[in-house]
Amino acid sequence: MTDSTHPTGATPTHANRTLFQSLELDMRLLGMIGALVLIAIGFSIATGGNFLTPRNIFNLTVQTVSVAIMATGMVFVIVTRNIDLSVGALLAVCSAVIAMVQTQVLPGYFGLELGSPWIAPLAVLSGLVVGTFIGAFNGLLIGYQAIPAFIVTLGGFLVWRYAGWFLTEGQTIAPLDGTFILLGGAEGTLGEFWSWVVGILASLAAVWGVYSARRNRIKHDFPTKPLWAEYTIGGLFVAAIMGFVAILNAYDVPRGKLRRIFEERGEVLPDGFTQGHGLPISVLILIVVAIVMTIVARKTRLGRYIFATGGNPDAAELSGINTRLLTVKIFAIMGFLCGLSAIVAQARLQAHTTDIGTLDELRVIAAAVIGGTALAGGAGTIYGAILGALIMQSLTSGMGMVGVDSPLQNIVVGAVLVFAVWIDIVYRRKTGDV
């Protein structure tokens, strides 16, 4: 068998292929990237170049994280033909628990004041446990009591937000622990050096992924891309990763903040000294979540069961998959990610507010659907959901920068959601993937 290991880097079967056919790129992914590029260029022109400044890109990535984290979980929920309308409310009640643990429970019952090394870990743990427990409870009602997911989570939409309201008595809770606040990304970053280290490691991992995929294809005698196509894809990955790190490092820490940092160390800020923010810790958390969720989706039995159930629930159950227990697991994962998003959102705001997470359920669902998750079930990607969240946040931030009123922003986002679903339906009809 002759494949792309031919000395010329391409076989006769590749000779007449187009560039896109040779690269074997996902056209839906290209469409999302193209839409994001057009949005960025459009708002950059409208704002006189301010949209694509390092400062705004830094803020945009930090603001995207909490919705993107939940969107990765929503992929699993929608793939199995369910829906979760309670994620914003679940985020709110987790945030309330986290805030009360920091400011009331640990100081009042255990004598741990803000600044104690135990505050942040215990607060984080409380949010994750509460989110996972509530998510599993939703899954029990849906999977074992056969209550439609729409009804269970619609009830949760009301119950959990106001449970959080009563827990905090409707008050904004602040200040929070300084170490905990670092998780929001606005204050906590890796700095320039460690950001470059993470960028280099991520680039090496991307190149290894391309090489490993090619090796597996050759091992199993599957067709492979020409070598130049592999190099091109690997180069694009590296360029995107290192370019992103370079942009974040280009956003300098304000001199006033640098001066305070040097004064706390008993030093004087040198003239002309600058320091970039680098990669926010919250973005690093999102990257870890994306990697873990992608591995779960593609490499584990749980992931295979999720997509098999979404493709044909009856056949999945007849084949021995415990679809009811699977539903509990999926909603428990969703709850865990809501707790994690609550940590990031609260740390970014540096306070628990009564309106935290408002309308996030719509943003999360929209991000997953814009990212290519089929509402009919059985299809969806983690990277697509994250790109969808970034597109949503780019639209919202860009409209805010050009002075568009909030009601009109919601109108545009709603229209974009409907348009994205229509495009997805047309695409699936043309490709036969229905």
Side-chain angles (χ1 to χ4, degrees):
M1 175 180 177
T2 303
D3 65 12
S4 57
T5 57
H6 189 277
T8 62
T11 66
T13 60
H14 291 115
N16 298 320
R17 299 178 72 184
T18 66
L19 173 64
F20 290 114
Q21 289 174 333
S22 296
L23 293 175
E24 296 181 13
L25 296 175
D26 184 345
M27 297 307 296
R28 186 184 284 111
L29 174 62
L30 284 181
M32 287 188 289
I33 294 174
L36 184 60
V37 170
L38 290 176
I39 290 170
I41 293 174
F43 282 126
S44 181
I45 295 172
T47 59
N50 290 329
F51 186 80
L52 289 178
T53 60
R55 176 181 180 180
N56 191 60
I57 292 176
F58 178 91
N59 291 331
L60 185 63
T61 56
V62 170
Q63 292 164 359
T64 302
V65 171
S66 63
V67 169
I69 288 174
M70 290 189 288
T72 64
M74 189 62 73
V75 171
F76 286 178
V77 173
I78 296 178
V79 161
T80 54
R81 306 188 183 189
N82 289 302
I83 199 72
D84 193 340
L85 301 176
S86 67
V87 293
L90 186 47
L91 183 151
V93 73
C94 289
S95 177
V97 169
I98 293 166
M100 295 302 289
V101 165
Q102 290 185 66
T103 60
Q104 300 293 328
V105 176
L106 293 179
Y109 292 95
F110 300 95
L112 298 176
E113 300 296 335
L114 294 179
S116 167
W118 290 98
I119 290 284
L122 292 175
V124 167
L125 182 62
S126 67
L128 297 178
V129 169
V130 169
T132 304
F133 177 80
I134 294 176
F137 178 69
N138 288 342
L140 282 170
L141 295 178
I142 297 164
Y144 285 90
Q145 300 302 317
I147 306 174
F150 181 89
I151 298 301
V152 171
T153 58
L154 180 61
F157 170 81
L158 299 172
V159 170
W160 301 120
R161 175 164 295 281
Y162 291 102
W165 190 92
F166 278 111
L167 189 62
T168 61
E169 298 180 349
Q171 298 178 2
T172 296
I173 307 297
L176 303 177
D177 181 73
T179 303
F180 177 83
I181 288 174
L182 297 179
L183 300 176
E187 295 292 334
T189 62
L190 297 183
E192 293 184 45
F193 173 76
W194 288 110
S195 295
W196 284 123
V197 170
V198 170
I200 292 171
L201 292 176
S203 298
L204 291 174
V207 172
W208 171 256
V210 173
Y211 167 75
S212 179
R214 180 180 180 83
R215 186 179 61 179
N216 287 336
R217 279 175 169 268
I218 293 174
K219 179 180 178 181
H220 294 93
D221 222 19
F222 291 157
T224 58
K225 302 184 186 73
L227 284 174
W228 68 263
E230 302 281 16
Y231 294 147
T232 300
I233 291 175
L236 289 174
F237 279 139
V238 172
I241 293 168
M242 300 306 288
F244 179 62
V245 172
I247 291 172
L248 296 182
N249 281 341
Y251 175 33
D252 291 335
V253 178
R255 288 194 63 80
K257 184 176 180 180
L258 283 176
R259 189 177 294 108
R260 289 193 300 271
I261 293 173
F262 273 78
E263 288 175 353
E264 290 174 359
R265 297 189 306 205
E267 301 175 4
V268 178
L269 178 64
D271 292 335
F273 179 84
T274 60
Q275 180 177 319
H277 279 81
L279 191 69
I281 292 176
S282 61
V283 174
L284 187 61
I285 293 172
L286 174 60
I287 293 171
V288 173
V289 169
I291 293 172
V292 171
M293 292 293 283
T294 300
I295 291 173
V296 170
R298 295 184 175 182
K299 302 294 184 180
T300 68
R301 181 183 299 177
L302 175 62
R304 291 192 292 272
Y305 285 179
I306 288 172
F307 283 89
T309 301
N312 191 325
D314 294 333
E317 192 162 3
L318 289 173
S319 66
I321 297 174
N322 187 341
T323 56
R324 292 185 293 182
L325 179 60
L326 182 66
T327 301
V328 177
K329 292 178 180 179
I330 291 169
F331 278 88
I333 292 172
M334 186 74 253
F336 176 89
L337 294 174
C338 287
L340 184 58
S341 293
I343 293 163
V344 171
Q346 185 183 113
R348 179 174 64 85
L349 297 173
Q350 300 184 21
H352 166 77
T353 60
T354 56
D355 64 346
I356 191 170
T358 300
L359 293 182
D360 271 7
E361 48 280 320
L362 302 183
R363 297 186 183 98
V364 169
I365 293 171
V369 172
I370 289 173
T373 304
L375 290 172
T381 60
I382 301 302
Y383 64 79
I386 294 174
L387 269 176
L390 186 57
I391 290 172
M392 293 281 293
Q393 187 59 49
S394 297
L395 278 172
T396 303
S397 297
M399 287 187 290
M401 291 179 70
V402 298
V404 176
D405 293 335
S406 181
L408 184 55
Q409 291 182 26
N410 290 329
I411 290 174
V412 171
V413 169
V416 169
L417 173 60
V418 175
F419 179 73
V421 173
W422 175 72
I423 290 293
D424 184 67
I425 291 173
V426 172
Y427 177 83
R428 293 180 190 281
R429 283 176 180 171
K430 288 186 176 181
T431 59
D433 185 17
V434 294

